[in-house]
């Protein structure tokens, strides 16, 4: 049965933060620099975690603790040093990616309660000035289940943080393990969801994706709630969220981030697994209400429903792409584009858990993205998820789809998006 192995994987992976990264069974070298410092002897200007100069990306809670996939922190700074103290709720050893300006990502494992010097006079590119000005610092958490807590941020005494304006457009991806980068080499920052958003360039993004989650609100692979419920909350369905918030998570305040222009939904692969026992009617009903809710909070957002490839099978002497909820997802797309819906749209209120009528017509806002033919059987790794190459293919097709359908300009024209994908044949003269 497809995806049955995910369950045990998720449950076991949660315990072992310093798991080895494997590429085709070869250990990937992960001796990332240890950036922990003793702050004694440094002359720092200290900022609190709610300093207005700090821009949190994705979902962070009132304790400045990060959730979901690839949450980030970004700010401008002067000088040649940036340090961050990570709070006591930080998952020890969490791998973060961080960069300055248009330089490549760097990686380091974060230690709970420690101060990390992430930018120093020896950081590559620190002496270069412009065209990006002021200098920017950006950080992303790579693993979906782990989080970091910002306790304080420092620059050199006499230097300062600078608030950066948000980019003028924004995108949200709502999904499960397939969107969170599960089993991709650098997880969240190897996912198609990250590659789509970062690859478009100059686009804010939030990836509310968590492995094993169903669209339907029920226990799936040990996750206590489905996306129909959890999407309205700041924290995800990880064991650390249960430890910290029990069954009383903080509601997400949608005015904290700019409203996205585009929302991508990739949900249902876990619902489709017989082990999770979700009915076709239940899936369609709650997926539909989730989209009605997204339309209620973000009435101008264009919503793209992704068809599910659900793996590949050997068929006779070749291979064929699978599928799941094919007619269901297409019927949801048709429902939102029907004249009766558009004349008087139905919206969803998560607080009261009821639908209601907008009493005001809408133009079409739901789109269908057909994934058939984008990946092939060897773009799926042995853990049932896209390989790095599979993620890149899907991201690239989505980027082109969005460019053509919504006239989006591709602003990312040089700086690295995917890290550690520079492999090629260096024996070209044989
Ligand atoms: C850093 O994180 C990576 C990814 O989780 C892990 O493979 C590695 O063992 C960690 N390194 C240390 C020193 O904890
Ligand atoms: C939601 O966030 C906005 C912007 O940060 C803030 O002004 C508002 O007070 C918040 N609302 C609640 C209920 O916390
Ligand atoms: C699946 O749902 C049906 C109908 O509610 C129920 O009868 C059955 O016991 C469930 N099976 C499992 C494995 O939970
Ligand atoms: C919300 O409403 C739906 C459909 O009316 C129902 O299936 C679901 O159980 C409700 N959820 C909660 C948490 O009450
Ligand atoms: C998706 O694409 C495949 C391959 O081109 C095609 O057979 C299928 O009909 C498409 N599905 C929809 C709903 O358009």
């Amino acid at each position: 049965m497809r995806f049955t192995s995910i369950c045990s994987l998720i449950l076991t992976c949660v315990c072992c933060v310093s798991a080895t990264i494997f590429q085709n069974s070869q250990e990937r070298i992960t001796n990332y620099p240890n950036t922990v410092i003793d702050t004694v002897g440094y002359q720092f200007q200290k900022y609190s975690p709610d300093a207005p100069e700090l821009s949190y990306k994705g979902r962070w809670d009132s304790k400045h603790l990060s959730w979901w996939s690839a949450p980030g922190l970004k700010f401008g700074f002067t000088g040649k040093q940036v340090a961050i103290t990570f709070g006591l709720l930080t998952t020890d050893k969490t791998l973060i990616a961080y960069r300055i300006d248009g330089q490549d990502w760097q990686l380091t494992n974060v230690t709970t309660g420690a101060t990390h010097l992430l930018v120093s006079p020896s950081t590559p590119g620190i002496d270069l000035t412009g065209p990006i000005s002021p200098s920017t610092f950006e950080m992303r958490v790579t693993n979906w289940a782990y989080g970091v807590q910002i306790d304080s941020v420092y620059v050199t005494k006499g230097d300062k943080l600078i608030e950066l304006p948000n980019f003028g457009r924004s995108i949200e991806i709502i999904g499960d393990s397939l969107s969170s980068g599960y089993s991709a080499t650098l997880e969240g920052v190897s996912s198609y969801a990250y590659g789509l958003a970062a690859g478009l360039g100059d686009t804010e993004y939030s990836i509310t994706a968590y492995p094993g989650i169903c669209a339907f609100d029920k226990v799936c692979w040990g996750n206590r709630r489905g996306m129909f419920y959890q999407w309205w909350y700041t924290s995800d369905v990880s064991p650390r969220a249960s430890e910290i918030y029990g069954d009383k998570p903080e509601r997400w305040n949608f005015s904290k981030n700019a409203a996205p222009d585009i929302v991508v939904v990739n949900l249902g692969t876990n619902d489709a697994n017989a082990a999770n026992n979700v009915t076709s009617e239940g899936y369609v009903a709650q997926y539909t209400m989730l989209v009605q809710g997204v339309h209620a909070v973000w009435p101008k957002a264009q919503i793209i429903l992704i068809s599910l490839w659900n793996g590949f099978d050997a068929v006779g002497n070749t291979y064929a792409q699978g599928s799941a909820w094919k007619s269901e997802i297409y019927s949801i797309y048709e429902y939102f584009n029907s004249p009766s819906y558009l004349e008087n749209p139905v919206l969803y209120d998560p607080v009261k858990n009821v639908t209601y009528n907008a009493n005001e017509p809408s133009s079409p806002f739901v789109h269908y993205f057909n994934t058939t033919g984008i990946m092939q059987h060897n773009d799926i790794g042995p853990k049932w998820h896209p390989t790095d190459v599979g993620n890149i293919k899907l991201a690239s097709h989505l980027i082109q789809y969005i460019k053509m359908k919504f006239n989006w300009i591709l602003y990312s024209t040089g700086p690295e998006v995917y890290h550690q994908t520079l492999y090629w044949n260096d024996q070209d003269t044989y």
Side-chain angles (χ1 to χ4, degrees):
M1 195 186 312
R2 216 174 251 138
F3 283 95
T4 30
S5 57
I6 296 173
C7 172
S8 54
L9 274 168
I10 290 164
L11 299 177
T12 52
C13 280
V14 165
C15 64
C16 28
V17 179
S18 56
T20 306
I21 299 177
F22 286 105
Q23 314 174 110
N24 305 343
S25 306
Q26 305 275 317
E27 186 175 339
R28 176 178 276 197
I29 306 301
T30 54
N31 54 344
Y32 307 122
N34 179 359
T35 50
V36 174
I37 54 163
D38 180 350
T39 52
V40 174
Y42 285 88
Q43 297 292 311
F44 279 146
Q45 174 68 46
K46 180 176 178 176
Y47 287 83
S48 80
D50 43 32
E53 292 86 354
L54 302 177
S55 303
Y56 292 90
K57 310 295 184 185
R59 294 196 185 180
W60 294 71
D61 68 17
S62 60
K63 306 177 203 290
H64 308 103
L65 179 56
S66 68
W67 299 99
W68 302 95
S69 184
L73 174 66
K74 201 170 169 187
F75 50 81
F77 67 98
T78 65
K80 293 185 182 180
Q81 290 189 118
V82 172
I84 298 179
T85 302
F86 292 93
L88 297 177
L89 292 174
T90 299
T91 314
D92 197 41
K93 295 191 171 65
T94 297
L95 185 67
I96 56 163
Y98 60 100
R99 74 198 307 177
I100 60 164
D101 309 329
Q103 299 297 310
D104 290 354
W105 288 110
Q106 301 181 64
L107 299 161
T108 195
N109 299 77
V110 166
T111 301
T112 306
T115 303
H116 288 254
L117 185 66
L118 300 173
V119 178
S120 74
S122 59
T123 297
I126 192 70
D127 292 320
L128 305 173
T129 51
I132 294 174
S133 179
S135 269
T136 63
F137 174 89
E138 181 179 7
M139 180 202 91
R140 296 275 165 181
V141 179
T142 65
N143 182 275
W144 56 83
Y146 308 144
V148 302
Q149 184 182 34
I150 304 300
D151 179 86
S152 29
V153 176
Y154 313 82
V155 290
T156 309
K157 205 155 199 78
D159 282 305
K160 59 179 187 193
L161 295 185
I162 298 166
E163 187 177 358
L164 297 174
N166 280 341
F167 293 127
R169 62 188 194 188
S170 172
I171 186 164
E172 167 112 2
I173 296 94
I174 307 176
D176 50 32
S177 56
L178 298 162
S179 305
S180 69
Y182 184 89
S183 84
T185 55
L186 289 174
E187 305 187 321
V189 294
S190 296
S191 72
Y192 85 82
Y194 159 77
L196 161 63
L200 284 163
D202 293 7
T203 304
E204 300 296 336
Y205 58 93
S206 168
I207 305 172
T208 37
Y210 196 85
I213 200 166
C214 282
F216 191 83
D217 184 25
K218 73 180 294 294
V219 177
C220 288
W221 304 128
N223 293 316
R224 297 204 297 182
R225 306 299 299 242
M227 197 60 98
F228 170 62
Y229 171 88
Q230 199 67 33
W231 190 71
W232 303 97
Y233 294 89
T234 308
S235 49
D236 51 40
V237 287
S238 57
R240 84 186 162 97
S242 306
E243 267 168 40
I244 295 169
Y245 286 111
D247 55 8
K248 296 209 166 16
E250 292 179 355
R251 271 200 176 273
W252 176 242
N253 176 351
F254 284 89
S255 27
K256 282 199 168 189
N257 289 341
D261 305 287
I262 291 177
V263 178
V264 173
V265 185
N266 182 351
L267 284 174
T269 304
N270 294 305
D271 304 70
N273 193 298
N276 290 324
N277 208 16
V278 174
T279 63
S280 169
E281 299 72 34
Y283 172 72
V284 170
Q286 294 201 357
Y287 189 133
T288 302
M289 281 190 280
L290 179 60
V291 175
Q292 290 166 342
V294 172
H295 189 52
V297 280
W298 296 324
K300 291 185 182 146
Q302 300 298 311
I303 304 176
I304 301 170
L305 316 184
I306 291 204
S307 76
L308 308 177
W309 57 89
N310 208 37
F312 291 77
D313 289 310
V315 175
N317 59 3
T318 182
Y319 295 87
Q321 181 172 329
S323 179
W325 305 127
K326 195 172 180 171
S327 56
E328 283 84 353
I329 296 174
Y330 202 76
S331 75
I332 296 168
Y333 158 75
E334 288 183 312
Y335 159 79
F336 281 104
N337 284 282
S338 63
S340 61
Y341 182 85
L342 294 169
E343 267 158 37
N344 191 0
V346 177
L347 304 176
Y348 170 70
D349 174 346
V351 178
K352 298 192 184 123
N353 193 27
V354 292
T355 56
Y356 59 99
N357 286 313
N359 295 324
E360 194 184 328
S362 167
S363 31
F365 62 95
V366 171
H367 312 272
Y368 182 84
F369 182 78
N370 190 346
T371 56
T372 304
I374 292 174
M375 290 186 286
Q376 312 306 333
H377 88 95
N378 64 326
D379 293 319
I380 306 295
K383 293 187 177 173
W384 309 109
H385 290 72
T387 60
D388 288 356
V389 171
N391 275 295
I392 291 169
K393 281 189 181 176
L394 190 50
S396 304
H397 279 264
L398 277 162
I399 286 171
Q400 193 67 8
Y401 173 82
I402 287 171
K403 177 185 171 184
M404 293 174 75
K405 190 149 188 110
F406 305 110
N407 281 320
W408 277 33
I409 293 166
L410 307 192
Y411 288 120
S412 192
T413 56
E416 180 179 277
V417 173
Y418 285 110
H419 190 62
Q420 291 182 330
T421 49
L422 187 69
Y423 36 83
W424 75 103
N425 183 357
D426 59 353
Q427 306 196 3
D428 56 351
T429 54
Y430 57 87

